[in-house]
Structures are given as structure tokens and as C-alpha cells.
Amino acid sequence: AQSVAQPEDQVNVAEGNPLTVKCTYSVSGNPYLFWYVQYPNRGLQFLLKYITGDNLVKGSYGFEAEFNKSQTSFHLKKPSALVSDSALYFCAVRDIKTGANNLFFGTGTRLTVIP
Amino acid sequence: EPEVTQTPSHQVTQMGQEVILRCVPISNHLYFYWYRQILGQKVEFLVSFYNNEISEKSEIFDDQFSVERPDGSNFTLKIRSTKLEDSAMYFCASSLRQLNTEAFFGQGTRLTVV
């Protein structure tokens, strides 16, 4: 069965500092991995995805994520945080082996960037 | 930039009533989805729809739920007899292809069952 873990409910970081939002996954086959961001009273916005190829993927708003197969992780990173990055971040996975098209989401991590 | 739109943004209904949540997916997308997010909990998959039929559904999507694409643009979720525990934010999403393609989400409909 597929699952996603986001071990931190809340991450606080000072503006200008690097940020990391952690995600680990469990699938029976190979994963397709996604990060979404949710601002207050808004829907989920796609940030980036890992499908295949280079383990470091770059996405919107300066975010990037590194796929680590041995650690089954897909942590979201940004070199320099902005106050406007404060939001709820969700990691999600699809399992290639099952062929299921639905996304399994983590519980979300609330990022607060402190001015 | 094309986007998924959902109406209404907020709906309050009495327990036992039927509700229909509406969505207009991105026009050239082929795969359509409904997800829900109970307050404070994770986003959960309900159903996916392709080629005018349900392709996948979760355990949550029981006989009380149905989906329809009544015309070339709308995609609806119907809950026949709402329960208190149906209160949640419901998200519609669409994607051009499946599996390796990201889904684009609407802003959600907050359903409150009283």
C-alpha cells in the first residue's frame, strides 16, 4: 500500500535562511512524487514533481526537491526563504506498479517564515 | 493561465439533503478527480473519471456519492443524503494525462452539513 509521511507538522525558519520540508514515502513499485502548496482559502498549487532522471528537480518559486531512493525520501528545499513562502505544504505519491492514478497525500507541513 | 474552477465556494446544507458540487476542469484535460480534506486532516482521494466513466474510487466513495460529466465542460459530485461527517473541503482536479502528469486543483468547495 502507498503512504506518505511528513514527520513535521510545523517548520519555522527565518527569512533568508534555507528551508527544508521533509517527506518520506512507501510504495510497492517505483514512485511518482509531487509537492503541492496550499495558501489560506486556496486550492492546492503544484510546485514540482519527480518522474524519472535527475534526482534533483526544480520547480516553481525557487523550490527544489531531491529524490533519494535508498532513503525513500523527497525533501523539499529552498536556498533562501521568503515570508511569502509561509503556507501549508503537501507531499504526494503515485505508485507506478499499481497503475493507480490517484495521489496519496501526506498530512501536510505548515511552514512559517519569520521576518 | 487556465485553471480549474469550482462552485460554490461554500455550501451549507441540512443533514439528509442532497448536494451537488460543480467543477469546470481545464478544457483540454482528460482525467478528472475529486478529493476531500476534512478540517485538520490530510487530503483524501475520492474518485477519478476518464472517458465518461469512473476509473478508480476509494472506500470513501460509497453509494451516497456519484459523479457526472453532464456536458463537455462541467464535472459534478453529488452526495445523495448528506451526513455530518461529510463536512469537508472538496477539491476538484484535472490532468492532461495520467500517472506522470501533475493534477491541477480547484480552489475547493467548503461543505458544511448541519
Side-chain angles (χ1 to χ4, degrees):
Chain A
Q2 304 91 328
S3 66
V4 175
Q6 293 182 244
E8 300 157 319
D9 292 335
Q10 174 82 41
V11 170
N12 297 325
V13 64
E15 187 177 21
N17 282 4
L19 70 87
T20 299
V21 182
K22 295 179 180 177
C23 171
T24 58
Y25 65 90
S26 175
V27 294
S28 55
N30 289 319
Y32 291 140
L33 293 156
F34 302 82
W35 274 102
Y36 284 84
V37 59
Q38 185 180 30
Y39 296 101
N41 302 314
R42 301 287 298 276
L44 299 165
Q45 294 181 34
F46 169 74
L47 276 180
L48 50 78
K49 65 182 178 183
Y50 171 80
I51 302 300
T52 187
D54 194 347
N55 289 343
L56 184 66
V57 293
K58 295 185 184 296
S60 308
Y61 312 120
F63 284 93
E64 58 189 30
E66 185 165 14
F67 171 62
N68 187 317
K69 188 172 183 177
S70 63
Q71 296 184 5
T72 61
S73 68
F74 189 56
H75 301 331
L76 181 71
K77 299 182 180 184
K78 188 173 181 181
S80 178
L82 301 173
V83 173
S84 57
D85 293 331
S86 298
L88 190 56
Y89 290 81
F90 289 96
C91 182
V93 67
R94 280 190 184 126
D95 188 343
I96 300 173
K97 185 175 181 180
T98 65
N101 206 20
N102 50 299
L103 290 164
F104 284 86
F105 284 86
T107 50
T109 298
R110 185 166 300 282
L111 173 69
T112 301
V113 181
I114 303 163
Chain B
E1 184 177 326
E3 59 181 14
V4 177
T5 57
Q6 291 184 243
T7 55
S9 57
H10 190 189
Q11 178 148 3
V12 180
T13 188
Q14 287 199 324
M15 189 169 54
Q17 293 292 103
E18 175 183 286
V19 295
I20 297 176
L21 310 183
R22 302 180 192 280
C23 168
V24 179
I26 294 173
S27 61
N28 63 334
H29 283 185
L30 301 176
Y31 296 83
F32 314 112
Y33 316 87
W34 284 100
Y35 288 80
R36 80 173 185 189
Q37 184 181 29
I38 295 172
L39 188 63
Q41 299 185 24
K42 69 168 74 175
V43 177
E44 300 172 294
F45 168 74
L46 292 178
V47 65
S48 62
F49 192 85
Y50 169 70
N51 200 26
N52 282 321
E53 61 182 21
I54 291 173
S55 50
E56 296 160 42
K57 60 182 180 179
S58 71
E59 294 174 350
I60 303 168
F61 194 87
D62 61 21
D63 293 343
Q64 297 287 352
F65 292 88
S66 62
V67 289
E68 193 177 36
R69 188 157 163 82
D71 53 41
S73 59
N74 290 285
F75 180 51
T76 62
L77 174 70
K78 181 192 291 186
I79 309 175
R80 288 190 183 81
S81 178
T82 50
K83 304 186 283 287
L84 294 177
E85 53 265 39
D86 293 328
S87 295
M89 181 73 89
Y90 288 80
F91 292 107
C92 174
S94 68
S95 64
L96 182 58
R97 293 179 293 276
Q98 57 180 341
L99 292 180
N100 65 349
T101 306
E102 62 272 24
F104 291 84
F105 285 76
Q107 81 280 14
T109 293
R110 180 165 297 285
L111 176 65
T112 303
V113 183
V114 297

